[in-house]
Amino acid sequence: MNNSSNSADGKKAAGSSSGLSPRACIALAVFTSCFGATFVFGYCISVLNSPRQKIECFFLRTWLSSFTLKNSSIDRGAFLDNCVKEEQLSDRLSSRDDNRLRWMYTMTQVVWVVFAAVGGFMTSLISERFGRRTGLVMANVFSVLAAISIAPTLAANSPIFVYITRALSGLHNGLTIPMTSMYVTEIVPIRLRGAIGSSGQLSITIGIFVGGLVGLEQALNREKYWVVAIALSGLPSLVSSIALPLLPESPRFLYLNKGDEAAAKQAVQRFCAPAEVDEAMLALKSEKVKMEQQEAAEKFSIGTLFTSKRYRMALLITLVLVVVQQLSGINVVMQYSSIMLENTGVQKSTVPLVTLGVYALNVLSTIVALPILEKFGRRLLLLLSLAIVLVSLVALLIVSQFTPKSFSTATATQKTLSGVACALVFIYVVGFAIGLGCITVMYISEIFQQKARGAANSVAMGVLQTSNALVVLTYYTLEKSLGHFVYLIYIVPVTAGLVFLFFFMPETKNRSTDDIADELSAKLGGPRTGTGDQQKEVAAADAMKTAKSSTAEQEAD
């Protein structure tokens, strides 16, 4: 496989960043990949939140322009002339029309997460065929197209372009989130894997904050400028697509998937200090030996994840993690906080600022979590995160029963309780950020070996976005029918996830992927791979080759 053509492609794939130190190369690769992928994902989560009423107003304008509504409580002509007064929107609509309008807005989120799920299930196909870095560049095309697609919205006076844009953004987000995690996890040394591997989640939180910042009235939350806010999501992806080809491809992909040892070593030299190069190559060789042995005994496919005992426990933990992460209700806070806070009696004029505070706290909590992730490990932080989320949800369930529906009619006690509810939302966000947020995706890349990593991340992202779609699609209906008891829907999966992970989740801090996979495989009676012995065998074989080469040179002299 190491022919001249393949080596030439590998050298190109290794990138042209030879003037950078290993640390600088890692930093640039992490920043560039995250900026065009996870940052954009976070931005897309929040960019429609604060301008919700502007978008609903636009939907209603197009709706009234196209149809004659029966049983409508509004004056069509007067409303079209004065549609910018969206603060009066709910007062001027009948209950039936208001529900329809909210569903039109909800569908912008549903379309996004559904297509993100589609993209997630496609990740394995693209990342295993074209590589992690090249796959990211290809996926960024969808983000750029999404930014272009939103442009005709106001001129055409049609909401269809909003849905097209959200669909394209969803495809981009679903494809790039797992690929970014794989790329970052595969290029950094084990000792840095925790802190740097979670940089994708930090990038998501920053994107959410920037999306909230752009959504302020003082920025782009205006009648005609919310379209510009949505279009801005394509800019980071465009920048990333230009910069990524200048950086090395994942050395693990080059060696284990493409079989190009020369290009893999070149990439390792760019990402590792000179003293670490031989150790990194030895680890790749030992994993190559193991992969060849496994392929001889069993041909791998996505179905193997579900049928082989070797992967069954890892897959079960993965599915529990992604489902609990989404069914904890995090995207209710991030995407529907304007509705959620209004329903707890927060003054409407302060909702955007409170929402921005939630986003800022999300960023700060993630920053704090990154260094302690390596100190305390993944398991402890994740269990602590689930416990905080569970307690805050139970407290919200209790407190919200006494909060007012409207700030203007609230008593002093109710206003105080409304403040307590806001504080509990902040605590919830902190709890989520320090574990469920920053660990989940990275942890999935840590517990699967190279051969299964692409498929596992693809399944995980598909299930994650499907769970997200379920939450986004049902929140409005559940909130209408259950009121504040809607928190019960999120308490149940968090409780179940906490119990399951307490008993079955292993620690991955400073452990090789093979060692972790062996432990998980053994839990259900699966085979161990004997990686340590293989590394010794590979090292001995390399030493023998070196000795023979040295002897041959001496004889030649």
Side-chain angles (χ1 to χ4, degrees):
M1 295 180 68
N2 295 333
N3 53 41
S4 58
S5 176
N6 199 17
S7 296
D9 292 340
K11 288 179 180 179
K12 184 179 179 182
S16 55
S17 54
S18 56
L20 298 175
S21 68
R23 284 190 176 184
C25 193
I26 287 176
L28 185 59
V30 170
F31 172 79
T32 304
S33 58
C34 290
F35 186 56
T38 51
F39 175 86
V40 175
F41 176 62
Y43 186 87
C44 289
I45 287 176
S46 63
V47 72
L48 300 188
N49 191 359
S50 293
R52 173 179 60 84
Q53 291 182 325
K54 296 288 192 306
I55 297 170
E56 288 179 350
C57 190
F58 168 74
F59 284 166
L60 186 62
R61 181 190 291 272
T62 59
W63 191 16
L64 291 175
S65 297
S66 305
F67 302 100
T68 301
L69 299 181
K70 295 181 179 180
N71 303 321
S72 177
S73 62
I74 65 175
D75 183 319
R76 179 183 178 197
F79 190 83
L80 284 172
D81 293 336
N82 198 26
C83 192
V84 293
K85 293 185 178 180
E86 74 285 338
E87 68 275 6
Q88 300 176 12
L89 192 60
S90 59
D91 297 333
R92 304 175 70 174
L93 286 173
S94 67
S95 176
R96 177 182 172 185
D97 292 339
D98 183 52
N99 287 339
R100 287 177 176 174
L101 190 60
R102 288 291 172 88
W103 271 108
M104 291 179 72
Y105 173 79
T106 299
M107 287 306 297
T108 63
Q109 306 288 16
V110 173
V111 166
W112 176 61
V113 294
V114 166
F115 277 85
V118 172
F121 285 120
M122 294 169 55
T123 299
S124 177
L125 177 65
I126 294 177
S127 65
E128 296 300 316
R129 173 67 179 84
F130 299 101
R132 285 53 163 142
R133 183 205 61 180
T134 306
L136 285 170
V137 175
M138 294 171 63
N140 283 341
V141 172
F142 290 113
S143 181
V144 176
L145 289 176
I148 296 172
S149 299
I150 195 69
T153 301
L154 296 180
N157 197 35
S158 172
I160 188 63
F161 295 102
V162 179
Y163 295 122
I164 292 173
T165 295
R166 293 296 278 177
L168 291 170
S169 294
L171 275 176
H172 167 264
N173 298 153
L175 284 167
T176 56
I177 299 304
M179 271 195 280
T180 302
S181 175
M182 285 188 281
Y183 183 57
V184 171
T185 302
E186 291 177 7
I187 67 175
V188 300
I190 290 178
R191 58 185 173 82
L192 300 175
R193 196 172 59 197
I196 297 180
S198 297
S199 57
Q201 179 60 28
L202 175 61
S203 179
I204 291 174
T205 63
I206 294 173
I208 291 173
F209 176 77
V210 173
L213 195 63
V214 167
L216 291 175
E217 291 280 355
Q218 297 84 346
L220 296 178
N221 186 5
R222 305 177 191 179
E223 185 185 1
K224 296 183 179 179
Y225 291 100
W226 57 269
V227 173
V228 178
I230 296 174
L232 287 177
S233 64
L235 185 60
S237 297
L238 180 62
V239 172
S240 177
S241 295
I242 295 171
L244 273 173
L246 304 177
L247 294 160
E249 176 60 89
S250 158
R252 296 179 70 86
F253 173 80
L254 291 172
Y255 187 71
L256 299 177
N257 293 66
K258 290 297 184 182
D260 194 339
E261 182 175 350
K265 186 169 184 178
Q266 186 181 16
V268 167
Q269 289 171 338
R270 298 307 311 130
F271 288 127
C272 296
E276 298 175 326
V277 172
D278 290 340
E279 181 183 354
M281 288 304 298
L282 178 61
L284 289 179
K285 290 176 181 179
S286 67
E287 189 165 351
K288 182 72 171 178
V289 171
K290 176 194 61 199
M291 281 180 60
E292 290 172 348
Q293 291 175 349
Q294 291 179 359
E295 286 172 358
E298 176 184 61
K299 186 172 179 63
F300 182 83
S301 66
I302 289 184
T304 308
L305 288 175
F306 297 89
T307 58
S308 174
K309 287 185 178 181
R310 183 183 297 116
Y311 307 110
R312 199 170 297 165
M313 178 55 74
L315 180 64
L316 184 58
I317 291 174
T318 294
L319 295 179
V320 169
L321 275 174
V322 296
V323 169
V324 170
Q325 187 199 57
Q326 293 306 307
L327 296 191
S328 67
I330 184 60
N331 282 315
V332 171
V333 177
M334 297 302 166
Q335 293 173 249
Y336 292 119
S337 61
S338 57
I339 298 174
M340 181 181 174
L341 291 171
E342 286 175 15
N343 288 343
T344 57
V346 178
Q347 193 170 4
K348 283 190 177 182
S349 60
T350 63
V351 165
L353 293 177
V354 175
T355 298
L356 192 63
V358 169
Y359 296 160
L361 186 62
N362 193 23
V363 176
L364 293 174
S365 300
T366 304
I367 292 173
V368 170
L370 295 185
I372 65 175
L373 186 61
E374 288 300 334
K375 183 175 181 180
F376 296 105
R378 288 55 152 162
R379 174 182 162 82
L380 178 61
L381 276 184
L382 198 73
L383 294 177
L384 178 63
S385 170
L386 281 164
I388 295 174
V389 166
L390 178 59
V391 171
S392 58
L393 283 173
V394 172
L396 266 172
L397 174 64
I398 297 170
V399 172
S400 61
Q401 306 305 315
F402 306 100
T403 55
K405 274 288 185 180
S406 172
F407 183 84
S408 59
T409 59
T411 64
T413 301
Q414 287 178 321
K415 289 180 181 179
T416 301
L417 289 174
S418 181
V420 172
C422 284
L424 289 171
V425 171
F426 289 147
I427 294 171
Y428 169 93
V429 169
V430 171
F432 182 90
I434 65 172
L436 278 173
C438 68
I439 293 175
T440 300
V441 176
M442 177 197 69
Y443 189 84
I444 295 167
S445 291
E446 287 186 326
I447 63 177
F448 283 96
Q449 296 159 304
Q450 182 74 14
K451 184 172 64 171
R453 188 171 294 138
N457 274 278
S458 184
V459 170
M461 182 52 59
V463 173
L464 183 148
Q465 294 297 351
T466 301
S467 302
N468 187 10
L470 181 64
V471 171
V472 170
L473 183 62
T474 60
Y475 172 71
Y476 183 67
T477 302
L478 289 173
E479 193 275 332
K480 282 285 188 181
S481 58
L482 299 177
H484 296 301
F485 285 103
V486 69
Y487 296 117
L488 279 173
I489 304 297
Y490 311 123
I491 289 172
V492 173
V494 171
T495 304
L498 179 60
V499 173
F500 175 86
L501 294 172
F502 178 81
F503 287 104
F504 296 106
M505 178 186 181
E507 179 56 70
T508 59
K509 174 187 171 184
N510 293 333
R511 296 176 64 187
S512 70
T513 303
D514 298 323
D515 184 30
I516 300 163
D518 276 346
E519 179 183 340
L520 289 172
S521 176
K523 284 181 182 292
L524 290 179
R528 286 185 174 272
T529 57
T531 304
D533 293 336
Q534 288 173 356
Q535 287 185 349
K536 291 176 183 178
E537 292 172 4
V538 172
D542 285 350
M544 183 65 71
K545 288 180 182 179
T546 303
K548 287 181 178 179
S549 176
S550 177
T551 301
E553 290 175 0
Q554 290 175 1
E555 290 176 353
D557 293 339

